[in-house]
Amino acid sequence: MIGIIRSLGRWGLSTFERLGRGHLFLVQILAGIPGLFLRFSLVIQQLFSVGVLSVLIIAVSGLFVGMVLSLQGYYVLVDFGAEESLGVMVSLSLVRELGPVVSALLFAGRAGSALTAEVGLMKSTEQLSGMEMMAVDPMRRVIAPRFLAGFISMPLLAAMFSAVGIIGAFLVGHGLLGVDDGAFWSQMQAKTDWYDDILNGVIKSIVFGFVVTWIALYEGYDALPTSEGVGRATTRTVVHSAFAILGLDFVLTALMFGEG
Amino acid sequence: MPLIKIRDLHFSRGDRVIFEGVNIDIHRGKITAIMGPSGTGKTTLLRLIGGQLHPDKGTIEVDGQNVHQLSHSGLYALRKRMGMLFQSGALLTDLTVFENVAFPLREHTDLPESMIRDLVLMKLQAVGLRCARDLMPNELSGGMARRVALARAVTLDPMMIMYDEPFTGQDPISMGTLVNLIHRMNDAMGLTSIVVSHDVDEATEIADYVYLLSGGKVVSEGSPVDLKRSSSQWVKQFMQGLPDGPVPFHYPGVDFKEDMLNPEVSP
Amino acid sequence: MLQKKSTEITVGMFVAAGIAALFMLAMKVSNLSDFSDEVGYQVIAEFENIGGLKVRSPVTMAGVRVGRVSGISLDSVNYNARVTLSLYSTFDNLPTDTSASIYTAGLLGEQYISLEAGAEEEFLQNGDVVELTQSALVLEQVIGQFLFSKAEGDEE
């Protein structure tokens, strides 16, 4: 019994310690960001590996999510004779929830894990301490550009996900199920609000991008410098990011749409 | 006055004590070898000198500056004048050989591209890899990677250079090349070199002065010739690579005979 | 250097695509855009009650879509709803005594305006007013009236 309590305590202490180090790490990253605007080419390189390389998975997933939503929604709505509301249903669920959340989960799996593995390997092959000894601060040279790139990419990817999803839903709804295209778009436009729905979705995705990139970089930087350590850190990135995304989604949804 | 002055250095990792009162002087323009068995913290010593680790007690002065009392920018300014060669080379794997050597110049200077090219090619020529400049680090052999790292370590013309196990895992030819290079770099550029190694033959061949570390203390010091003549049993065992001596072959514990006869006893 | 250039180009395309997606969400999906996508002419109809009619609701004639609602305002004199209908220019032969009614698509569907052609020989022009209108059916009113008349019937 004492043993269980003791291990619980140890777990709690180490968790708090990691949280504390994670926040210090974030402060160091943020301190490194202003200097990046003088050397934006570093960020562009990272935008390529973090953002551009995630486009394919985001676009394909978005298309299929939209198509499935359309198909499922149609069979429910048609019973009420409300199949013309298909556009609203799809656009609201994509823009408010699925766009930011699913694209953030995919981003954590695709770009987050890659960031962790990359930084972890740079640490284990002494590249980071090599830089330090060359008087180059790895926080500024390696970590901060990646952070900024993740932060910029995420809302763009989420917008692509939603847009492609809506197009997919339209293709299925109009092409396959024969929903009137005018009603599809007009109902969607009538009931999707730019500020309440779309901007709030964008804010969500910015928050998710911030958190996922932060977790990924911290796990990589904090990884044990062995191949096993890097592997574990990569897994942790995906798991912790998923928890963080879903938990924050609940909080943000309650804050944003609670009164409405 | 020595370039590096280490006084009463104490350092521990968790419960494990690594240094207990180490005093070392590194003299300008000389090659100093720091030797000792694996696990005596030789690499840790280099990281302490480079300011990546903090000692529990004691001081390290480099060129008159206390490394661990410098500000962040002061430390980075000092590091520009130190070169370090990591055991693995620590080349940046996403850059070519050329870009690796150019890296410190690009980070710290605003030199025009043509001048960077000239400087990089000069350094690569010195290590004999000028024509390998377009290769990626994963295409290099271990010895070549270390030579590239050496070229990179001297691009900013530092006052000193620290070698972390430069000979480990090298074939005889690249070992010979490295020994030669370290010697030549030191003499041609007026560098001060610190070589951490446990390869007795190579280290004693190039070193002007040797420190032997063991158990967190300096066990012995002197010129290579002095050490070879040393009467200490421990120094003799280490320098000649004898399997048994003051450092026992067997991990300490209960007597073998007793262990075999009593299944209950634990070491 | 060449590689760097292509990286920059793809990143540029990536950012542009992201912004384009956001633009599409803003213009095509949400109600930010107010420009009409088809040129046509506008007529005005006044209703006592428009129920759940919204800007962008469809305008149909015999079930065929002929335009959409482009504006709703309140007439400050007689407190009626003034609805602006944007009709496609292909349907420019609607008689001046055309009537407009607000109906609901299905039981739970959205509300739309249905036009019924009259018999006049002159056609509606841009800015004309549709005189004959029938307001939206408000469910509560209908039920209330039904219950009221039912109660009256029981008393007799």
Side-chain angles (χ1 to χ4, degrees):
Chain A
M1 191 61 206
I2 295 282
I4 297 173
I5 292 172
R6 203 179 136 197
S7 61
L8 195 69
R10 200 163 44 212
W11 176 81
L13 283 176
S14 71
T15 307
F16 273 107
E17 196 197 324
R18 281 175 56 80
L19 268 177
R21 272 184 291 154
H23 281 87
L24 281 178
F25 180 77
L26 182 65
V27 171
Q28 283 175 296
I29 295 179
L30 296 180
I33 285 191
L36 283 176
F37 293 101
L38 298 175
R39 296 186 62 192
F40 210 72
S41 61
L42 288 178
V43 184
I44 288 183
Q45 272 171 24
Q46 294 310 320
L47 273 172
F48 180 79
S49 54
V50 172
V52 175
L53 296 182
S54 308
V55 167
L56 189 68
I57 187 172
I58 292 279
V60 171
S61 316
L63 189 70
F64 279 97
V65 167
M67 281 162 42
V68 168
L69 264 182
S70 185
L71 216 53
Q72 295 278 19
Y74 179 79
Y75 291 120
V76 176
L77 293 171
V78 79
D79 286 346
F80 302 100
E83 67 269 21
E84 306 209 313
S85 302
L86 190 62
V88 190
M89 193 208 89
V90 170
S91 79
L92 287 188
S93 40
L94 274 174
V95 167
R96 283 183 172 187
E97 281 299 324
L98 292 176
V101 172
V102 177
S103 59
L105 291 173
L106 290 169
F107 182 76
R110 168 69 185 77
S113 58
L115 280 177
T116 306
E118 193 188 5
V119 174
L121 279 176
M122 287 183 90
K123 185 181 178 188
S124 68
T125 53
E126 293 183 313
Q127 291 184 51
L128 294 183
S129 51
M131 272 190 199
E132 266 180 36
M133 289 307 298
M134 283 186 278
V136 175
D137 189 345
M139 291 306 290
R140 286 168 196 215
R141 180 63 174 69
V142 177
I143 306 290
R146 283 167 173 74
F147 183 79
L148 195 60
F151 183 66
I152 296 174
S153 300
M154 187 70 253
L156 297 176
L157 289 169
M160 286 182 205
F161 185 94
S162 298
V164 172
I166 287 169
I167 292 170
F170 176 72
L171 291 179
V172 169
H174 179 62
L176 203 67
L177 303 169
V179 175
D180 177 54
D181 59 338
F184 184 91
W185 293 115
S186 70
Q187 287 232 20
M188 186 191 287
Q189 286 173 342
K191 294 194 179 146
T192 312
D193 190 69
W194 160 250
Y195 186 79
D196 279 344
D197 299 319
I198 293 187
L199 271 192
N200 277 344
V202 171
I203 291 171
K204 272 188 183 180
S205 62
I206 290 175
V207 173
F208 295 157
F210 186 94
V211 172
V212 170
T213 326
W214 174 22
I215 291 177
L217 290 172
Y218 176 64
E219 290 293 354
Y221 195 76
D222 199 49
L224 288 177
T226 59
S227 42
E228 198 206 350
V230 175
R232 277 159 170 258
T234 312
T235 315
R236 268 206 307 268
T237 292
V238 177
V239 174
H240 289 185
S241 299
F243 283 151
I245 291 165
L246 297 171
L248 278 172
D249 183 49
F250 177 77
V251 174
L252 289 173
T253 308
L255 285 177
M256 287 170 176
F257 304 113
E259 304 102 55
Chain B
M1 193 188 122
L3 181 67
I4 301 178
K5 214 162 97 183
I6 300 176
R7 288 291 171 270
D8 193 29
L9 182 71
H10 286 71
F11 183 77
S12 53
R13 265 215 173 101
D15 298 335
R16 212 161 74 87
V17 176
I18 301 196
F19 296 121
E20 266 187 301
V22 169
N23 296 303
I24 290 177
D25 285 327
I26 311 277
H27 290 275
R28 286 173 204 269
K30 295 276 167 31
I31 300 179
T32 307
I34 294 173
M35 294 201 281
S38 306
T40 36
K42 302 185 295 291
T43 305
T44 309
L45 183 67
L46 294 188
R47 287 186 189 273
L48 282 162
I49 296 174
Q52 287 185 319
L53 296 174
H54 280 259
D56 300 337
K57 207 180 129 196
T59 56
I60 298 179
E61 276 180 26
V62 176
D63 201 22
Q65 291 172 292
N66 186 331
V67 176
H68 300 98
Q69 281 173 2
L70 288 172
S71 64
H72 188 264
S73 56
L75 181 61
Y76 272 68
L78 182 64
R79 279 182 188 164
K80 285 185 203 169
R81 299 160 63 208
M82 297 178 169
M84 175 146 173
L85 188 77
F86 284 85
Q87 199 169 347
S88 60
L91 295 177
L92 305 173
T93 42
D94 55 342
L95 299 177
T96 61
V97 166
F98 182 93
E99 286 300 324
N100 260 291
V101 179
F103 183 80
L105 292 171
R106 291 201 198 284
E107 291 294 321
H108 295 306
T109 67
D110 283 323
L111 293 177
E113 191 58 38
S114 62
M115 201 186 269
I116 289 185
R117 189 184 132 90
D118 291 348
L119 282 170
V120 170
L121 293 189
M122 270 164 59
K123 304 294 175 189
L124 280 174
Q125 172 73 13
V127 297
L129 291 173
R130 183 172 43 81
C131 296
R133 59 178 176 266
D134 292 327
L135 298 182
M136 294 304 282
N138 58 10
E139 296 171 295
L140 302 174
S141 71
M144 281 157 83
R146 266 176 226 188
R147 277 149 68 189
V148 174
L150 181 56
R152 186 180 66 176
V154 296
T155 29
L156 289 178
D157 290 320
M159 59 183 176
M160 58 175 278
I161 187 160
M162 299 186 272
Y163 299 91
D164 187 5
E165 305 277 7
F167 311 118
T168 313
Q170 299 297 310
D171 62 69
I173 301 176
S174 53
M175 193 114 94
T177 317
L178 281 165
V179 169
N180 188 339
L181 268 177
I182 293 175
H183 219 164
R184 251 187 23 221
M185 287 278 177
N186 201 71
D187 294 350
M189 300 177 62
L191 287 167
T192 305
S193 304
I194 307 171
V195 180
V196 151
S197 180
H198 49 226
D199 294 281
V200 176
D201 293 339
E202 286 73 25
T204 48
E205 186 185 332
I206 54 173
D208 298 307
Y209 202 80
V210 178
Y211 282 90
L212 275 182
L213 287 181
S214 179
K217 291 204 166 78
V218 174
V219 179
S220 180
E221 60 179 288
S223 70
V225 187
D226 291 344
L227 285 184
K228 276 188 179 144
R229 283 202 223 108
S230 166
S231 54
S232 149
Q233 285 299 312
W234 193 92
V235 175
K236 233 181 224 167
Q237 188 192 358
F238 184 80
M239 298 299 278
Q240 293 169 18
L242 303 174
D244 212 350
V247 178
F249 171 71
H250 291 289
Y251 192 82
V254 293
D255 186 63
F256 183 50
K257 193 175 156 196
E258 201 181 325
D259 211 3
M260 295 300 275
L261 294 175
N262 290 319
E264 306 296 314
V265 80
S266 80
Chain C
M1 283 300 113
L2 200 82
Q3 196 197 349
K4 199 174 167 190
K5 205 175 235 171
S6 68
T7 307
E8 281 171 0
I9 291 170
T10 42
V11 169
M13 279 167 18
F14 165 69
V15 175
I19 292 172
L22 212 56
F23 191 74
M24 174 198 149
L25 290 181
M27 291 305 170
K28 194 83 181 151
V29 175
S30 81
N31 51 7
L32 187 69
S33 66
D34 240 346
F35 59 87
S36 54
D37 42 352
E38 263 186 85
V39 282
Y41 63 103
Q42 298 187 326
V43 296
I44 291 161
E46 292 204 354
F47 295 92
E48 277 177 18
N49 193 331
I50 56 164
L53 196 72
K54 291 199 174 68
V55 173
R56 235 177 276 286
S57 293
V59 177
T60 64
M61 184 163 231
V64 178
R65 195 179 158 125
V66 296
R68 59 187 171 83
V69 173
S70 60
I72 296 173
S73 61
L74 190 69
D75 191 317
S76 53
V77 180
N78 54 14
Y79 304 110
N80 279 344
R82 276 173 77 86
V83 177
T84 313
L85 313 179
S86 286
L87 302 177
Y88 304 143
S89 47
T90 41
F91 306 102
D92 58 354
N93 53 350
L94 305 182
T96 47
D97 61 343
T98 295
S99 65
S101 319
I102 298 177
Y103 291 134
T104 308
L107 192 61
L108 300 167
E110 65 167 332
Q111 295 196 293
Y112 65 97
I113 290 182
S114 174
L115 299 179
E116 236 161 284
E120 288 283 336
E121 306 229 323
E122 288 191 21
F123 299 136
L124 283 169
Q125 302 292 317
N126 190 21
D128 282 358
V129 176
V130 177
E131 305 284 352
L132 298 167
T133 61
Q134 188 194 330
S135 289
L137 217 61
V138 178
L139 209 58
E140 289 91 329
Q141 282 178 4
V142 176
I143 294 170
Q145 271 168 13
F146 173 74
L147 291 176
F148 190 65
S149 63
K150 184 93 174 149
E152 276 187 340
D154 285 349
E155 269 170 33
E156 280 170 18

